[in-house]
């Protein structure tokens, strides 16, 4: 080949390479222009391509937050249920349906006007579930609604499984607590995660009860979401229109097992509501170890979406300390027996008037000559004011502390870090310690001691403490820490942590076993021939102590009515505290009547369990 022909060929190759390079450069410039330069809409109906690039994120709907759940002692769920709900994604209305009568059919199925449904859909800025009312959980579709909706073909409308936090079949439990948006708590508990942008101030967090105590463990590893893919005209991308995404972690969400009996809890809630307990609490403890079988607070806990709704109360009255009245006489008698300023052989005289401090007995004319047991059975103010004045303030405080009164008593990690959380754990963070005397140094006269001895003045006790006081007496002075959570497991069933039974011994040691037994005999006398004779008849023989505390509420004279006790007497199975707050003076003791009914319900449940056990063993 001649030199001229070679040069000619090289020139052609060079020109071809220049051309290819130019085309490549044009493509690069075009891509850069698309990436960097804003695109003006070609028409009012077109959509900016940049918005389309994030359409997947805009059309993401959370089906399950991934939060851990609570279960009762038998494994029944206390939180968490999945049901079918109607999901709607925000699309242009023209892309909704190819048939003009599809939306009216959907509206008819949901029992709503077509115009109202269309207006709601037009107003959506983000995916949403259909709700009957804006504060409700997503509507639970019935079988008939499901059949009708599945026959429809509407873009951006889908039946999806929704994970509801709180069971529709039962009311929310104060003991379990609630979750809500709470920026202040998030800043306090998750400051580092907020700074790392792994949490947002709009995220939900545990607001009370176990939801708050175990919030870090319950948060999980992320939500399960569904995304809806569309093209630039809001039409679904066939084969890619729906995508489910979620965490793939075998350990989360965790499962927290509690000591609560859900069937009993629901039955007792129905009972106290039927008896119109408007304000107060009920606590049922396992007499063997102080475990919480049931805990009810009234007014009811509001739905999370309306936490301040009228007629509801987010505060758990079962762990809130209030004036105890005569149930505190058990503490006064224990202090007097421990200090040896009295014994069971002593006789007292009550003529109805104490003679000092304006104090008198509740029984007009008094109780006459009584023993210590008879004084407790009749709840004689004169006798217990007398005993209190024989004591020093310190002796009264020590006895109360020995019985678990005047201090937080719910289960805790005793100030040590709970390994799964990396910090100390208290199952009831909102529990109030209560008190016996305002300040030890301020006790300057017998009047303060006399008033304290009958459960008035500055004395404050919670229903949880009161029920646990009964358990303490049944165990000869051994104080337990009532627990509600007993075990935490990973999602795969592996045990994460055990929360064993704890005792909460006083720094001053225990009361003597003889003292505890004397008090128990006195509680039997209360029901046998004392102030609670009216509750003798029932499924179980029971024992206890009534109380009526004078209080002032909004400038008016009111009373707190109490009853604490146990049953059955010969083989105690449960310890119970009932508080009926803010009652009209002079009314019959509602708490005592409720106590009898609660014990009968517990007895029936025990009989049913025994019958089922016998039947199972025979098979």
């Amino acid at each position: 080949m001649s030199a001229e022909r070679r040069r000619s060929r090289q020139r052609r190759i060079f020109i071809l390479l220049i051309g290819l390079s130019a085309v490549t450069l044009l493509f690069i410039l075009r891509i850069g222009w698309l990436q960097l330069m804003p695109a003006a809409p070609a028409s009012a109906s077109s959509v900016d391509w940049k918005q389309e690039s994030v359409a997947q994120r805009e059309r993401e709907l959370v089906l399950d937050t991934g939060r851990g759940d609570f279960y009762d002692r038998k494994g029944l769920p206390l939180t968490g249920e999945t049901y079918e709900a109607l999901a709607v994604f925000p699309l242009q209305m023209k892309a909704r349906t190819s048939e003009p009568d599809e939306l009216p059919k959907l509206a008819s199925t949901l029992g709503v006007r077509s115009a109202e449904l269309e207006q709601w859909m037009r107003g959506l800025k983000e995916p949403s579930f259909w709700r009957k009312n804006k504060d409700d959980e997503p509507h639970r579709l019935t079988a008939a609604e499901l059949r009708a909706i599945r026959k429809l073909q509407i873009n951006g409308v889908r039946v999806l499984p929704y994970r509801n936090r709180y069971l529709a079949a039962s009311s929310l439990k104060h003991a379990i607590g609630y979750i809500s948006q709470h920026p202040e708590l998030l800043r306090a508990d998750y400051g580092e995660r907020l700074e790392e942008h792994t949490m947002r101030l709009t995220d939900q967090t545990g607001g009370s009860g176990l939801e708050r105590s175990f919030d870090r463990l319950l948060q999980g590893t992320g939500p399960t979401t569904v995304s809806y893919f569309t093209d630039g005209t809001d039409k679904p991308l066939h084969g890619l229109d729906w995508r489910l995404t979620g965490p793939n972690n075998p350990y989360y969400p965790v499962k927290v097992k509690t000591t609560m009996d859900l069937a009993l809890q629901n039955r007792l809630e129905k009972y106290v509501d039927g008896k119109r307990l408007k304000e107060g609490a009920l606590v049922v403890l396992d007499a063997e170890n102080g475990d919480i079988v049931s805990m009810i607070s009234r007014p009811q806990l509001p739905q999370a979406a309306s936490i301040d709704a009228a007629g509801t109360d987010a505060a758990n009255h079962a762990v809130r300390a209030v004036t105890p009245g005569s149930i505190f006489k058990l503490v006064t008698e224990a202090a007097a027996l421990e200090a040896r300023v009295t014994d069971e052989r002593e006789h007292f005289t009550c003529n109805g008037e104490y003679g000092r401090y304006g104090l008198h007995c509740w029984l007009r004319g008094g109780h006459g000559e009584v023993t210590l047991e008879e004084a407790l059975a009749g709840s004689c103010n004169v006798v217990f004011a007398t005993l209190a004045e024989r004591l020093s303030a310190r002796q009264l405080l020590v006895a109360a502390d020995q019985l678990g009164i005047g201090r937080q008593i719910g289960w805790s990690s005793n100030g040590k870090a709970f390994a799964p959380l990396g910090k100390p754990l208290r199952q009831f963070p909102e529990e109030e310690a209560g008190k016996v005397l305002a300040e030890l140094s301020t006790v300057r006269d017998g009047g303060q001691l006399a008033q304290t001895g009958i459960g008035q003045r500055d004395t404050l006790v919670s229903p949880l403490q009161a029920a646990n006081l009964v358990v303490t007496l049944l165990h000869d002075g051994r104080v337990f820490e009532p627990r509600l959570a007993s075990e935490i497991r990973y999602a795969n069933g592996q045990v994460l942590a055990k929360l064993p039974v704890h005792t909460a011994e006083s720094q001053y040691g225990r009361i003597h076993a003889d003292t505890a037994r004397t008090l128990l005999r006195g509680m039997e006398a209360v029901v046998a021939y004392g102030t609670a004779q009216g509750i003798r008849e029932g499924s179980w023989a029971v024992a206890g102590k009534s109380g009526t505390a004078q209080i002032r509420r909004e400038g008016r004279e009111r009373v707190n009515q109490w009853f604490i006790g146990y049953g059955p007497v010969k083989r105690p199975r449960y310890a119970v505290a009932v508080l009926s707050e803010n009652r009209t003076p002079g009314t019959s003791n509602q708490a005592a009547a409720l106590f009898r009914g609660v014990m009968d319900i517990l007895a029936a449940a025990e009989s049913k369990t025994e019958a089922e056990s016998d039947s199972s063993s025979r098979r």
Side-chain angles (χ1 to χ4, degrees):
M1 182 183 294
S2 66
E4 182 63 28
R5 289 181 64 186
R6 281 198 304 273
R7 284 194 295 272
S8 176
R9 183 179 179 184
Q10 289 171 352
R11 280 196 300 271
R12 288 196 301 270
I13 293 173
F14 178 75
I15 291 170
L16 179 61
L17 291 174
I18 290 294
L20 290 174
S21 298
V23 171
T24 303
L25 181 60
L26 286 173
F27 274 116
I28 292 172
L29 291 173
R30 173 61 175 170
I31 291 171
W33 182 81
L34 289 172
Q35 291 281 347
L36 301 174
M37 298 299 290
S43 69
S45 63
S46 67
V47 180
D48 188 344
W49 72 271
K50 288 187 177 181
Q51 294 176 346
E52 283 305 305
S53 70
V54 294
Q56 175 184 347
R57 292 194 299 273
E58 291 177 354
R59 290 167 172 80
E60 184 179 83
L61 183 64
V62 175
L63 304 181
D64 183 351
T65 64
R67 190 173 181 84
D69 283 313
F70 297 99
Y71 297 82
D72 85 339
R73 62 189 354 182
K74 298 175 182 177
L76 297 175
L78 294 169
T79 60
E81 61 175 350
T82 301
Y83 60 81
E84 302 290 344
L86 185 73
V88 179
F89 290 74
L91 303 176
Q92 299 172 32
M93 288 305 297
K94 67 181 181 60
R96 286 277 179 209
T97 178
S98 58
E99 298 292 336
D101 59 348
E102 294 288 81
L103 278 178
K105 287 181 181 178
L106 177 60
S108 177
T109 300
L110 296 174
V112 64
R113 291 185 297 109
S114 181
E116 182 181 340
L117 180 62
E118 184 174 332
Q119 182 182 13
W120 175 72
M121 286 182 170
R122 287 184 183 277
L124 288 179
K125 302 299 181 184
E126 57 186 20
S128 179
F129 284 103
W130 166 253
R131 291 167 167 81
K132 288 285 188 183
N133 299 297
K134 66 176 183 178
D135 290 334
D136 292 346
E137 291 295 331
H139 172 61
R140 183 192 300 264
L141 295 173
T142 65
E145 289 170 339
L146 282 169
R147 286 193 298 271
I149 292 171
R150 283 172 175 155
K151 293 178 182 178
L152 303 177
Q153 297 294 325
I154 306 176
N155 290 337
V157 175
R158 190 76 173 251
V159 172
L160 295 172
Y162 172 73
R163 184 71 172 174
N164 182 32
R165 180 67 184 164
Y166 299 111
L167 307 182
S170 61
S171 62
L172 304 185
K173 320 297 183 191
H174 281 83
I176 300 300
Y178 62 89
I179 57 173
S180 66
Q181 289 184 355
H182 203 309
E184 291 78 11
L185 287 181
L186 283 172
R187 289 190 183 97
D189 296 344
Y190 300 104
E192 74 287 354
R193 292 181 62 176
L194 290 170
E195 290 180 3
E196 296 167 357
H197 302 292
T198 57
M199 288 191 79
R200 300 171 296 177
L201 284 175
T202 55
D203 288 343
Q204 291 192 324
T205 187
S208 69
L210 297 187
E211 291 278 24
R212 173 145 173 73
S213 301
F214 294 103
D215 191 67
R216 282 185 178 268
L217 291 175
L218 296 169
Q219 287 283 348
T221 57
T224 297
T225 63
V226 64
S227 299
Y228 187 47
F229 292 79
T230 62
D231 61 18
T233 62
D234 266 342
K235 293 181 179 179
L237 294 173
H238 297 292
L240 191 64
D241 52 349
W242 299 95
R243 176 179 293 176
L244 189 70
T245 58
N248 186 22
N249 188 320
Y251 298 105
Y252 291 91
V254 298
K255 301 176 179 179
V256 180
K257 183 180 180 181
T258 72
T259 59
M260 183 178 287
D261 185 314
L262 181 59
L264 266 178
Q265 173 80 14
N266 287 339
R267 187 172 178 187
L268 291 173
E269 284 184 6
K270 183 178 180 180
Y271 172 71
V272 299
D273 290 339
K275 295 298 182 179
R276 305 186 72 176
L277 177 65
K278 296 180 179 179
E279 185 177 353
L282 165 66
V283 177
V284 179
L285 301 183
D286 189 322
E288 183 179 349
N289 55 16
D291 278 353
I292 297 170
V293 177
S294 177
M295 178 178 279
I296 300 171
S297 176
R298 290 295 180 265
Q300 291 189 349
L301 184 68
Q303 299 295 322
S306 54
I307 205 65
D308 297 317
T312 63
D313 191 351
N316 185 354
H317 290 234
V319 296
R320 192 173 70 172
V322 299
T323 308
S326 293
I327 66 166
F328 191 79
K329 289 171 182 173
L330 292 168
V331 177
T332 303
E333 182 173 332
L337 290 169
E338 291 293 295
R340 298 183 179 180
V341 299
T342 190
D343 58 43
E344 291 184 90
R345 297 185 301 273
E346 183 175 4
H347 283 70
F348 304 84
T349 300
C350 168
N351 61 14
E353 295 296 330
Y354 189 58
R356 298 189 295 279
Y357 322 123
L359 193 151
H360 56 82
C361 193
W362 66 269
L363 182 63
R364 188 183 297 271
H367 289 86
E369 185 173 323
V370 292
T371 63
L372 186 61
E373 180 180 290
E374 292 168 339
L376 185 67
S379 199
C380 179
N381 288 343
V382 170
V383 170
F384 283 91
T386 299
L387 293 176
E389 281 209 82
R390 293 179 185 177
L391 297 165
S392 68
R394 176 177 171 77
Q395 286 173 321
L396 200 53
L397 283 168
V398 166
D401 196 87
Q402 288 176 317
L403 294 169
I405 303 298
R407 55 190 172 104
Q408 289 177 306
I409 204 64
W411 196 99
S412 73
S413 59
N414 297 318
K416 300 176 183 178
F418 180 64
L421 291 174
K423 64 177 183 178
L425 170 66
R426 182 170 290 281
Q427 290 193 11
F428 294 102
E430 64 272 31
E431 180 192 356
E432 295 178 358
K435 59 185 174 181
V436 177
L437 296 154
E439 290 290 343
L440 185 61
S441 60
T442 64
V443 180
R444 307 198 182 281
D445 60 61
Q448 288 176 273
L449 286 171
Q451 289 285 341
T452 300
I454 61 172
Q456 292 288 157
R457 195 77 181 222
D458 301 310
T459 313
L460 299 173
V461 174
S462 73
L464 180 62
Q465 292 171 337
N468 199 55
L469 166 62
V470 177
V471 177
T472 299
L473 297 178
L474 291 171
H475 286 268
D476 293 337
R478 185 185 185 195
V479 184
F480 287 92
E481 286 188 353
R483 63 176 179 166
L484 183 57
S486 60
E487 181 181 271
I488 307 172
R489 289 183 179 270
Y490 288 114
N492 63 3
Q494 181 181 340
V495 175
L496 169 59
K498 296 276 191 180
L499 295 91
V501 172
H502 276 182
T503 57
E505 302 295 346
S506 168
Q507 60 180 317
Y508 307 110
R510 300 182 190 177
I511 62 169
H512 290 87
D514 287 344
T515 297
R517 292 168 192 152
T518 298
L519 292 171
L520 292 175
R521 287 194 293 272
M523 293 171 74
E524 290 183 45
V526 169
V527 177
Y529 61 84
T531 57
Q533 294 180 66
I535 67 168
R536 278 185 302 183
E537 300 301 322
S539 302
W540 280 343
V542 297
K545 180 69 187 80
S546 59
T548 302
Q550 283 72 44
I551 63 170
R552 290 189 70 84
R553 180 75 66 85
E554 298 176 351
R556 295 184 300 167
E557 296 287 339
R558 308 293 286 175
V559 293
N560 290 338
Q561 296 173 343
W562 288 83
F563 199 92
I564 64 175
Y566 61 94
V569 168
K570 290 187 177 179
R571 194 167 63 94
R573 182 69 185 86
Y574 297 103
V576 174
V578 185
L579 166 64
S580 180
E581 296 180 79
N582 198 23
R583 297 269 289 169
T584 302
T587 55
S588 61
N589 191 327
Q590 184 186 35
L594 288 173
F595 175 87
R596 177 72 268 178
V598 167
M599 277 297 180
D600 289 343
I601 290 172
L602 294 172
E606 284 290 298
S607 296
K608 182 180 178 181
T609 300
E610 290 173 1
E612 291 174 349
S613 178
D614 290 343
S615 175
S616 176
S617 62
R618 285 195 296 271
R619 287 198 299 268

